[in-house]
Amino acid sequence: MSLPSLETTPIPGLVVVRLDRRDDDRGFFKENWQREKMLAIGLPDFGPVQNNVSFNTDRGVTRGIHTEPWDKFVSLATGRVFAAWVDMREGDTFGTTFTLEMDTSVAVFVPRGVGNSYQTLEDATAYTYLVNEHWRPGIAYPALALDDPTVAIDWPIPLSEAIVSEKDRGNPALDPATAIAPKRTLVLGAGGQLGRALAAAFPGADTRTRAELDVSDAEAVAAFPWHEYAVVLNAAAYTAVDAAETPEGRRAAWAANASAPATLAGLSRQHAFTLVHYSTEYVFDGTAPLAPGHSEDEPLSPLGVYAQSKAAGDLAVGLAPRHYVLRTSWVIGEGRNFVRTMQALAEKGVSPSVVEDQVGRLTFTEELVRATRHLLETGAAFGTYHVSNGGPAMSWREVAQAVFARSGRRAEDVSGTTTTAYAEGVFAQGNPFAPRPLNSAMSLDKLRATGFEPEDAMAALDRYLGRPGI
């Protein structure tokens, strides 16, 4: 069967779908919902979980304007209706109406927050609809009077002659005070440098530190209202790379980096929120060619415990229907980090020795936040993306030299060493040391294909060093 066609309406997100109905002397056949074809014409992948049928015996049955907290895909199995919708969401289109006569060849996608009603034009009309949340008792949702003069729906059968329930005869008039707010954004791990940057960039978001919401705590997870969120940004992680090599660190790393993301992936499936999870180039062993660098489809090859736990988290999040895994490298934000350490050493007159056989690109938190917003706002395809600042790959020593040069010191004041030599010094002091990928450079081609152009890392470094350290 051919693709259905899609028509937009004055209500944002409310779209009319003209189905390919095949008629013959026996009756008709149609693909009422075919996910692949619906996505191809531009419908959202809204993840229906329940199918309801409202059978109406008589012509003139008029169902109230109800605004349930879920998306709907409505259609008819038999009969005809005059359907009406009212935008009940906060914003410029609050109160906007759209009406349409529907038969069995027409379907409509109704986004959450849009009031939905209809009047039957034939006896024995079966109105059917898919929803993406299970019905739960006790949930209050706004309703609107069928004869509200503000929206002025021109019902073909006068309401005085229509069959209307007593409940729907008592619905209130349109009131901006009852406008439905959009589902919110939640930032997990809000105490870290990335979490703080995300909280600043999403000012209306709810934020939780690990202490406030530990996703590895089953009781805390069960009590949290996940259904209230459209997007969950998971910046929570165990990042003590070397400490992860200890027995205590191993357990903590796997709990935060693997088990918690797996829990979030399950919650994403259950509550239909988009899960954005932040990962690392450590999931690779660093043996890929420097150019173009590690690609998103490269097989995972983690070296140490931290890297292995992050790789497990990537795989778990990939099972969520609506997910972005953003792998990044050498993150620099507000607080203690490599750039601030080098800046302090330069100002104190210290001449450090820095590893020169690890190569990659800096990722400033503002760039990671910018990429996050871009993917969400453009509706980029779900999946894994590599994100860092642009420009040539550099060694840690070259980054330190760039900081020194911008701090009034000579680049030559930073000497070089190898990862092996550095590790020997750490081991000599009785401390753990995790293996590192020598090549941390990642290909940014997939990200660029979405229309995002990474900012050069040295331009971002100049701006960063122009701000006072924290």
Side-chain angles (χ1 to χ4, degrees):
M1 300 187 74
S2 61
L3 284 177
S5 63
L6 183 145
E7 302 167 7
T8 58
T9 73
I11 298 178
L14 182 83
V15 294
V16 178
V17 180
R18 304 287 179 178
L19 303 170
D20 180 17
R21 190 182 71 180
R22 303 293 176 91
D23 296 82
D24 61 24
D25 55 4
R26 299 167 298 173
F28 71 83
F29 176 83
K30 62 175 178 174
E31 291 179 339
N32 201 55
W33 169 260
Q34 208 271 30
R35 176 177 174 271
E36 184 176 348
K37 291 181 179 179
M38 296 301 178
L39 297 184
I41 64 171
L43 276 183
D45 195 4
F46 78 112
V49 298
Q50 184 170 325
N51 182 45
N52 301 324
V53 177
S54 175
F55 183 77
N56 306 273
T57 304
D58 299 316
R59 177 181 180 272
V61 170
T62 306
R63 304 283 181 168
I65 305 171
H66 297 163
T67 314
E68 298 94 346
W70 43 67
D71 302 317
K72 291 181 177 180
F73 183 80
V74 304
S75 60
L76 299 177
T78 61
R80 285 187 308 121
V81 302
F82 173 85
W85 296 273
V86 181
D87 197 341
M88 303 286 281
R89 299 169 295 184
E90 291 180 354
D92 295 339
T93 59
F94 175 76
T96 299
T97 62
F98 177 71
T99 62
L100 175 73
E101 186 173 310
M102 296 176 61
D103 61 18
T104 54
S105 68
V106 180
V108 176
F109 177 78
V110 187
R112 173 188 177 272
V114 174
N116 184 87
S117 64
Y118 64 91
Q119 185 176 79
T120 59
L121 302 179
E122 294 180 2
D123 294 345
T125 292
Y127 181 94
T128 180
Y129 53 101
L130 299 169
V131 295
N132 58 356
E133 286 193 32
H134 294 292
W135 181 83
R136 299 186 302 275
I139 296 179
Y141 48 81
L144 180 63
L146 291 163
D147 59 354
D148 182 271
T150 308
V151 298
I153 296 172
D154 187 15
W155 299 104
I157 300 172
L159 293 177
S160 59
E161 303 172 14
I163 303 169
V164 183
S165 71
E166 285 302 314
K167 180 180 179 182
D168 283 334
R169 290 189 183 278
N171 288 333
L174 190 68
D175 182 359
T178 64
I180 297 173
K183 285 191 174 184
R184 299 181 303 237
T185 295
L186 174 66
V187 178
L188 298 176
Q193 59 179 350
L194 175 57
R196 293 196 298 272
L198 288 168
F202 293 82
D206 289 349
T207 61
R208 295 292 188 278
T209 64
R210 176 89 180 271
E212 293 169 332
L213 178 59
D214 183 354
V215 181
S216 63
D217 182 338
E219 186 174 341
V221 167
F224 196 76
W226 299 100
H227 64 277
E228 296 180 3
Y229 298 94
V231 177
V232 174
L233 307 174
N234 182 37
Y238 181 93
T239 58
V241 175
D242 295 325
E245 300 296 318
T246 66
E248 298 80 7
R250 178 179 294 107
R251 287 189 289 271
W254 275 87
N257 298 342
S259 297
T263 297
L264 289 172
L267 292 166
S268 173
R269 287 193 299 273
Q270 181 181 354
H271 298 286
F273 61 72
T274 296
L275 175 59
V276 182
H277 177 71
Y278 299 91
S279 188
T280 171
E281 90 284 6
Y282 269 62
V283 300
F284 302 118
D285 61 11
T287 60
L290 186 59
H294 299 287
S295 63
E296 286 84 355
D297 57 1
E298 179 181 329
L300 303 181
S301 52
L303 297 174
V305 172
Y306 163 78
Q308 292 159 9
S309 68
K310 292 296 289 185
D314 285 14
L315 295 174
V317 172
L319 298 177
R322 304 171 59 89
H323 77 273
Y324 295 107
V325 173
L326 273 58
R327 290 197 191 115
T328 189
S329 60
W330 299 12
V331 175
I332 304 296
E334 300 305 330
R336 295 182 59 186
N337 56 61
F338 180 82
V339 168
R340 290 301 187 200
T341 298
M342 292 299 109
Q343 184 182 32
L345 293 179
E347 293 171 351
K348 293 176 182 177
V350 177
S351 297
S353 179
V354 179
V355 293
E356 58 187 357
D357 57 352
Q358 294 179 36
V359 179
R361 293 187 184 90
L362 296 177
T363 307
F364 289 87
T365 52
E366 60 188 19
E367 186 75 347
L368 194 49
V369 166
R370 190 169 72 92
T372 300
R373 293 193 71 95
H374 169 80
L375 293 172
L376 289 170
E377 291 174 358
T378 61
F382 295 124
T384 299
Y385 292 85
H386 289 172
V387 180
S388 72
N389 281 87
M394 303 172 68
S395 69
W396 280 120
R397 181 190 181 192
E398 289 173 321
V399 172
Q401 289 175 325
V403 175
F404 265 53
R406 288 160 172 78
S407 303
R409 293 282 301 277
R410 297 183 312 135
E412 293 77 14
D413 290 341
V414 180
S415 60
T417 187
T418 65
T419 301
T420 299
Y422 182 81
E424 289 173 350
V426 173
F427 288 135
Q429 297 176 23
N431 295 320
F433 183 82
R436 267 80 165 161
L438 296 184
N439 175 21
S440 290
M442 298 184 295
S443 170
L444 304 177
D445 290 345
K446 183 177 178 181
L447 181 63
R448 284 192 171 101
T450 69
F452 183 91
E453 184 56 40
E455 181 185 29
D456 185 89
M458 292 300 100
L461 179 65
D462 288 335
R463 185 171 59 254
Y464 183 80
L465 291 176
R467 300 197 294 261
I470 297 178

